[in-house]
Amino acid sequence: MSGALLTNFAGVPFKNPVIAASGTFGFGRQFEKIYDLSKIGGLCTKGLTLEPRPGNTGERLWETPAGLLNSIGLENPGVDAFIENEWPHLADIDTVTIPNVGGSDLDSYVQAVSKFNDLPVKLIELNISCPNVKCGGMAFGMDPDQAYAVTKAVVDESAHPVMAKLTPNAPDLTGVARACEEAGAAGLSLINTIQGMAVDVDRRRIVFDNVYAGLSGPAVKPIALRMVHQVVHAVSIPVMALGGISDWRDALEFIMIGAQCVQVGTMNFVDTTVLPDIVDGLETYCTKHGIQNLDDVRGIL
């Protein structure tokens, strides 16, 4: 493999810019049975909170014509269990593991992040965008002042660079992005899912116990492109883009509008080798067009 895909994100080197999105890849164990995880640039873990969470009740997934609604509710084993049971395994894989950290209030965010301070973590993703929890999550990402407060508190506590994951449901997305930058975030990732809902006509009821759920998949890609484009032009820190990426062409679209890296989420459920296939597709594109590094086309649009 050439060096065309080598990427630097906020001082963190990635062998390529293709990252598994949080919540769609677990801790990688199922996927490493299918391919060598060292081929991808990195992986964002399932969202982790200070305490274990059982997740939401009722229906959690609902397929739509061009995407997926989910209401998982940050089900996870908690940070301590992750560090004890999953981190040692992930640390042996030659790729960048990015813990995705959520919380229900400011203190729980800070405490959760502090538990990673003694580990050789290269980048932390701060989840202020989950739409499927009643406390915390997206509530912190909807308002610039709230986003600033939680990002500042976490950045001050963390021994590692922090990337804030933004919600597309914020009325002032670029305002939230700038607030996170001012608070010290090393980078941003967007978009998380867009709130939607579904109705089960046979049971004559709303599908999800929480009524609303998060829509992801190909349906959201045009919206994600627009939002990433807006945020890239609003901040000086790098952006990791996600939202409906299904193949290498989709990934390249986001890179051409300025994304430093891309994350792939829902498509992992459809095509389990989509991540290494995107890596191969980008490599082939660079070779075909004589591109020495993706920087040659990054942000050209």
Side-chain angles (χ1 to χ4, degrees):
M1 183 172 288
S2 72
L5 303 190
L6 294 174
T7 302
N8 186 295
F9 185 94
V12 179
F14 288 82
K15 65 179 66 176
N16 63 66
V18 183
I19 318 295
S22 176
T24 65
F25 210 70
F27 302 121
R29 289 187 182 272
Q30 289 79 14
F31 288 88
E32 69 180 351
K33 299 174 183 175
I34 302 170
Y35 59 85
D36 181 358
L37 297 189
S38 66
K39 182 162 185 176
I40 63 177
L43 66 92
C44 294
T45 70
K46 179 81 184 77
L48 298 164
T49 52
L50 184 62
E51 304 292 343
R53 288 197 183 192
N56 291 335
T57 58
E59 294 282 355
R60 294 187 176 196
L61 295 174
W62 190 263
E63 193 171 348
T64 73
L68 185 69
L69 282 161
N70 89 81
S71 181
I72 304 300
L74 282 180
E75 176 186 357
N76 78 96
V79 172
D80 287 337
F82 168 79
I83 291 174
E84 179 179 353
N85 300 318
E86 302 293 343
W87 175 258
H89 178 69
L90 289 167
D92 286 337
I93 300 172
D94 183 21
T95 193
V96 178
T97 294
I98 306 170
N100 177 292
V101 180
S104 55
D105 54 36
L106 203 61
D107 187 57
S108 64
Y109 272 104
V110 170
Q111 286 193 55
V113 167
S114 69
K115 290 181 177 287
F116 290 97
N117 282 351
D118 294 330
L119 299 178
V121 172
K122 294 180 179 177
L123 183 66
I124 285 176
E125 185 172 62
L126 177 65
N127 186 351
I128 56 172
S129 55
C130 179
N132 298 321
V133 292
K134 293 179 179 177
C135 297
M138 191 175 76
F140 283 101
M142 292 292 284
D143 172 74
D145 291 340
Q146 290 286 314
Y148 177 90
V150 68
T151 304
K152 182 72 165 55
V154 167
V155 167
D156 287 349
E157 178 64 27
S158 177
H160 311 294
V162 175
M163 170 176 69
K165 187 172 184 177
L166 308 185
T167 172
N169 302 300
D172 178 13
L173 179 61
T174 55
V176 171
R178 283 191 289 264
C180 292
E181 181 180 30
E182 291 170 6
L188 302 171
S189 56
L190 67 141
I191 62 172
N192 204 321
T193 56
I194 298 173
Q195 273 199 314
M197 67 179 292
V199 173
D200 186 331
V201 296
D202 291 321
R203 292 190 293 169
R204 302 181 186 183
R205 56 163 291 179
I206 294 170
V207 167
F208 299 104
D209 286 358
N210 277 3
V211 181
Y212 304 128
L215 177 65
S216 61
V220 311
K221 196 193 82 174
I223 302 170
L225 273 170
R226 186 260 297 176
M227 290 182 165
V228 168
H229 186 259
Q230 290 175 321
V231 168
V232 162
H233 288 276
V235 299
S236 299
I237 52 179
V239 170
M240 202 173 278
L242 66 156
I245 295 174
S246 300
D247 56 29
W248 68 267
R249 290 182 180 275
D250 290 342
L252 196 55
E253 288 183 40
F254 281 97
I255 290 169
M256 283 186 171
I257 65 166
Q260 198 72 11
C261 294
V262 294
Q263 295 183 11
V264 181
T266 302
M267 192 50 61
N268 286 306
F269 300 134
V270 179
D271 178 359
T272 54
T273 63
V274 65
L275 286 164
D277 289 348
I278 290 175
V279 174
D280 289 340
L282 292 175
E283 181 79 20
T284 300
Y285 177 86
C286 289
T287 301
K288 179 180 179 181
H289 293 275
I291 294 171
Q292 300 300 309
N293 188 277
L294 280 175
D295 285 342
D296 295 346
V297 295
R298 182 174 282 110
I300 60 173
L301 302 177

